[in-house]
Amino acid sequence: MSTIAIIGAGPAGLSAAEILAGHGHSVTLFERMPSVARKFLLAGRGGLNLTHSEPLDAFLGRYGPAQARMAAIIATFPPDAVQTWCSELGETTFTGSSGRVFPKSLKASPLLRAWLRRLADQGVQLRTGYRWNGWNEQGDLLFETASGVVSVSSRAVILALGGASWPRLGSDGGWVGPLQARGVTVETLRPANGGFTLPWSAHFSSRFAGSPLKRIALSFAGVTVRGEAMITAEGIEGGAIYALSARLREAILAHGKAALLLDLRPDLSMQQIIEKLGNPRAGESFSNHLRKRLALPPVVIALLREFYPDVPALPPARLAALIKALPVTLTGIAPIERAISSAGGIHWDCLDDHLMLKALPGVFCAGEMLDWEAPTGGYLLQGCFASGRVAAHGVSRFLAAQA
């Protein structure tokens, strides 16, 4: 009997394999890289944010235009189920002060090792170094391997090949061509949860690239988020930027720029800042004055000077207004290769409710290949875990109907 082929051994593919093998199916995982789940392991370096504990309505709202489709998917494996699953693998979870959910080890490797042991115990076969190149005329899967092109017949297929961010870890968007050739509509893959560019001066870039902007608030298009950002040599990135990245990206694509407002001291009101700045400098330099009165670090003071060279001469009210709403115009989008995730993907109209491609019966898709995006905070992994399971259940239904 031919196997069920799952192509892509990231969180979505591993999730699908677990469900299908648990139901007694013969499953083979094909992965183009020498080892599995490389992007998952990279995410673990930052603590492995598995999901989020916020109320489900708010949680689902993070998926933007894809909310309705993602709501149905996540309902099959909601955030509470992720925590239970994690505990069953021996990795208990905890909820941080931000509401994000992490394994207590704060690492991906222990969870991944336990997961792979479970899959091996279930009989899942793993083939690494297999790059998928579509189908041959007989409908068999084609893989490029170190020993040449290999064809594989399968009872059903789940594609879980990721988007196009961090291609060195395995997801390079190479699946787009083979699917488009079969009549599948794919929305252009775009960077999500990535940085943006702007023309820093050479002095500012060389001095402050890599410096964090802590405890700030960013506003754009009527939305304000608090968090942190990071100055890069070419622009700005970081958690607070990622939360607005979809809106910023679309504005730049439409208009060539996006005017972002930075609140450099969101914990103080305008009036409080004016009062603090109103105290005489008593011979202090401008930088020392801001450091002592407002606890502003050098990077923030330099940021004010970067856009307003005459800022030391401004009256307290005008300076306070800039500190509360510093305009920063973003002029470009950092490359998708450096983004945490990607937007775009297989159009929802090409998929049925079980994530099977309407144009290719027996071929299912999961994870970042689908046309959805979400901010960091656990929403990305949650979407991959759940969609992998939906596709797996879809395969089971498909095979049952063929019997």
Side-chain angles (χ1 to χ4, degrees):
M1 181 185 295
S2 61
T3 188
I4 296 170
I6 299 176
I7 307 175
L14 295 175
S15 296
E18 181 179 354
I19 295 300
L20 286 166
H23 290 169
H25 293 289
S26 173
V27 176
T28 302
L29 268 169
F30 296 92
E31 169 58 45
R32 63 166 287 206
M33 303 300 287
S35 59
V36 307
R38 291 192 169 196
K39 194 173 179 183
F40 181 74
L41 289 171
L42 179 67
R45 294 182 184 178
L48 193 62
N49 186 190
L50 293 165
T51 186
H52 203 287
S53 63
E54 68 184 343
L56 192 57
D57 286 349
F59 187 101
L60 296 173
R62 307 295 184 179
Y63 294 94
Q67 178 178 348
R69 292 299 299 259
M70 292 302 293
I73 289 169
I74 289 170
T76 67
F77 192 65
D80 288 350
V82 171
Q83 297 183 64
T84 299
W85 166 80
C86 197
S87 296
E88 290 172 349
L89 286 173
E91 288 292 309
T92 55
T93 59
F94 74 95
T95 302
S97 58
S98 64
R100 300 182 179 199
V101 177
F102 303 88
K104 285 190 175 179
S105 67
L106 288 174
K107 296 178 180 178
S109 52
L111 180 61
L112 180 60
R113 284 195 297 268
W115 200 358
L116 293 176
R117 282 195 299 270
R118 174 180 286 181
L119 293 175
D121 291 343
Q122 291 175 322
V124 173
Q125 300 295 309
L126 176 63
R127 301 285 183 268
T128 58
Y130 276 63
R131 182 185 180 94
W132 180 64
N133 284 334
W135 296 268
N136 63 17
E137 292 181 356
Q138 291 73 42
D140 295 334
L141 298 164
L142 292 178
F143 294 94
E144 180 183 336
T145 73
S147 57
V149 176
V150 174
S151 63
V152 175
S153 63
S154 61
R155 302 171 63 207
V157 179
I158 294 178
L159 301 177
L161 290 158
S165 64
W166 287 96
R168 65 183 179 84
L169 300 179
S171 56
D172 63 358
W175 50 267
V176 172
L179 289 187
Q180 288 180 329
R182 295 291 182 119
V184 177
T185 301
V186 180
E187 297 294 327
T188 302
L189 296 174
R190 308 179 301 283
N193 293 301
F196 296 87
T197 61
L198 66 153
W200 298 127
S201 66
H203 169 75
F204 183 84
S205 177
S206 62
R207 174 79 188 278
F208 294 103
S211 298
L213 298 172
K214 298 185 176 182
R215 297 183 296 278
I216 60 172
L218 283 71
S219 298
F220 180 75
V223 178
T224 299
V225 297
R226 294 183 66 154
E228 298 187 359
M230 178 76 73
I231 300 297
T232 68
E234 299 83 16
I236 190 169
E237 60 182 37
I241 291 288
Y242 301 157
L244 295 170
S245 65
R247 293 177 173 87
L248 294 170
R249 180 192 67 230
E250 295 308 310
I252 292 172
L253 290 174
H255 308 294
K257 62 182 179 179
L260 184 66
L261 293 178
L262 273 63
D263 185 343
L264 303 171
R265 282 303 305 268
D267 53 320
L268 294 178
S269 68
M270 176 86 75
Q271 187 57 41
Q272 288 173 316
I273 292 176
I274 292 173
E275 291 172 0
K276 288 179 179 290
L277 293 175
N279 296 324
R281 290 193 194 177
E284 293 176 333
S285 68
F286 175 72
S287 295
N288 280 338
H289 184 60
L290 292 187
R291 179 177 58 82
K292 291 182 178 180
R293 299 296 181 272
L294 296 174
L296 295 182
V299 62
V300 168
I301 298 169
L303 193 62
L304 289 166
R305 290 179 180 272
E306 176 76 359
F307 295 106
Y308 293 89
D310 63 344
V311 68
L314 295 179
R318 175 60 177 144
L319 178 54
L322 287 179
I323 291 170
K324 292 297 293 180
L326 178 68
V328 176
T329 300
L330 309 177
T331 55
I333 305 167
I336 194 170
E337 293 83 4
R338 291 170 47 189
I340 291 175
S341 59
S342 54
I346 297 168
H347 197 284
W348 291 104
D349 289 346
C350 296
L351 299 156
D352 70 10
D353 291 341
H354 307 296
L355 301 183
M356 185 173 74
L357 289 169
K358 297 174 182 177
L360 297 170
V363 179
F364 296 74
C365 301
E368 278 194 65
M369 295 182 71
L370 311 180
D371 185 15
W372 63 277
E373 65 177 305
T376 57
Y379 312 102
L380 297 170
L381 278 177
Q382 176 73 59
C384 290
F385 291 146
S387 61
R389 283 163 169 77
V390 169
H393 289 299
V395 167
S396 290
R397 291 186 182 91
F398 174 79
L399 294 178
Q402 303 300 307

